[in-house]
Amino acid sequence: MQKIIKGYLQFKESGFEERKDLFAKLSNSQSPEVLFITCSDSRIDPNLITQTEPGDLFVIRNAGNIVPPHIAESDGIVASIEFAVVALGVKHIVICGHSNCGAMKGALNTSGLTALPKVKGWLNYCSEAVTIVQSRKNNLKSDELNSVTQENVLLQIRRLEQYPEISKRLTTGDIEIHGWVYEIGDGAIKCFNQEKQAFIEL
């Protein structure tokens, strides 16, 4: 905790001052062009890996970078997506998974989550990705985690496409959805290429 407090004091003394004009501009409004949905994992920092400033990204984080169905009632993530799309008018949505994801490991082995019933229930939202990967005859066990991570990103994209306001904007070309997977070890990002139907380096 001391590290965090020290960091805040350093930010107040130098970081804030360096961006004083930016924060003054942002103090009354925001207009991000990108909704960035990623994992809660402490190793992922959206602004760091995209080298963006405050105000550039509207960020939603949760275990497994999951998008619940738009019909989910009283769901904070669904509400945040609605706000970003309808109120803020974002032009791009990025779903960003990552390597060595604990949520994907849990999805692959839900029997190991008996002490975490809420996590187990939450990961039902990516069970379809696990089923798809495990149904492939040529799947290699050593590549299973990576395959599920990628398939989960595609599953969440399909779910986003079912949101009425997003579907409408996709039809008119007013919004684009991007699927990314971030490799923690080497800093590379792979992006889903629709034409090649594969994740390729960004």
Side-chain angles (χ1 to χ4, degrees):
M1 195 62 197
Q2 287 303 312
K3 181 180 179 181
I4 294 172
I5 294 170
K6 185 178 178 182
Y8 158 69
L9 294 173
Q10 186 179 338
F11 162 73
K12 200 73 174 87
E13 289 171 11
S14 58
F16 179 84
E17 289 300 319
E18 290 169 8
R19 293 174 172 83
K20 200 169 184 177
D21 291 343
L22 172 62
F23 287 120
K25 182 182 174 184
L26 293 173
S27 63
N28 294 313
S29 66
Q30 61 170 324
S31 55
E33 286 197 359
V34 180
L35 166 58
F36 199 96
I37 303 173
T38 193
C39 190
S40 300
D41 194 297
S42 64
R43 298 167 293 178
I44 311 301
D45 185 333
N47 292 108
L48 180 64
I49 64 177
T50 60
Q51 291 292 282
T52 46
E53 293 282 0
D56 290 339
L57 304 178
F58 189 85
V59 179
I60 296 174
R61 301 183 69 160
N62 65 70
N65 39 272
I66 286 168
V67 174
H70 69 92
I71 54 172
E73 292 293 328
S74 302
D75 188 288
I77 294 169
V78 175
S80 295
I81 292 170
E82 179 181 76
F83 181 77
V85 172
V86 180
L88 296 178
V90 296
K91 302 297 182 187
H92 300 272
I93 303 176
V94 175
I95 297 279
C96 185
H98 67 93
S99 61
N100 197 34
C101 181
M104 295 305 100
K105 289 179 182 177
L108 279 163
N109 182 27
T110 54
S111 61
L113 298 174
T114 51
L116 300 167
K118 296 295 184 185
V119 173
K120 186 175 182 179
W122 175 249
L123 293 180
N124 280 333
Y125 284 133
C126 54
S127 60
E128 185 184 326
V130 174
T131 301
I132 291 170
V133 169
Q134 293 183 336
S135 68
R136 294 175 186 156
K137 293 178 181 178
N138 63 345
N139 179 60
L140 299 174
K141 283 290 180 184
S142 60
D143 195 44
E144 193 173 46
L145 179 58
N146 180 56
S147 296
V148 168
T149 298
Q150 293 184 351
E151 198 60 52
N152 181 60
V153 167
L154 299 180
L155 172 61
Q156 307 315 318
I157 289 175
R158 290 195 296 275
R159 210 168 275 145
L160 275 174
E161 290 170 344
Q162 294 170 6
Y163 279 56
E165 290 297 336
I166 294 176
S167 176
K168 191 193 317 180
R169 286 163 173 77
L170 284 169
T171 302
T172 58
D174 291 324
I175 204 166
E176 290 181 41
I177 303 176
H178 313 269
W180 290 7
V181 174
Y182 171 64
E183 178 61 51
I184 295 170
D186 62 17
I189 289 175
K190 288 186 177 178
C191 176
F192 185 71
N193 184 295
Q194 194 71 41
E195 194 176 304
K196 296 182 179 179
Q197 288 292 296
F199 282 83
I200 59 174
E201 191 153 351
L202 192 64

